[in-house]
Amino acid sequence: MSTPEFLKQHIRNMLCPLHDVHPIVEEDWDGIKIACCCKEFEKDCLKEAEKLFQQNQ
């Protein structure tokens, strides 16, 4: 199953409030992979991705 492009783009547009850096979002064999500058921002990105995914099922 392919991850919707709007979801990936939304996550790519997020900005770490501490480091002022965008995450890197890539397709993976089972969904997407999100690379972030810190663990706290990674948690925020994952929560946002999960929320968007749930809303659009």
Side-chain angles (χ1 to χ4, degrees):
M1 181 173 98
S2 180
T3 305
E5 190 60 37
F6 78 90
L7 189 147
K8 292 184 285 191
Q9 194 59 43
H10 181 81
I11 300 302
R12 283 185 187 116
N13 288 335
M14 292 178 69
L15 194 61
C16 177
L18 183 60
H19 299 109
D20 207 31
V21 177
H22 295 279
I24 298 170
V25 181
E26 299 175 338
E27 284 283 335
D28 200 356
W29 66 275
D30 63 347
I32 60 172
K33 183 193 270 186
I34 303 172
C36 297
C37 56
C38 62
K39 288 290 182 188
E40 201 59 41
F41 186 49
E42 182 178 21
K43 289 177 190 175
D44 292 343
C45 289
L46 291 173
K47 284 180 187 176
E48 186 69 17
E50 186 175 314
K51 181 179 83 171
L52 287 171
F53 189 75
Q54 294 294 328
Q55 289 175 350
N56 292 290
Q57 277 192 344

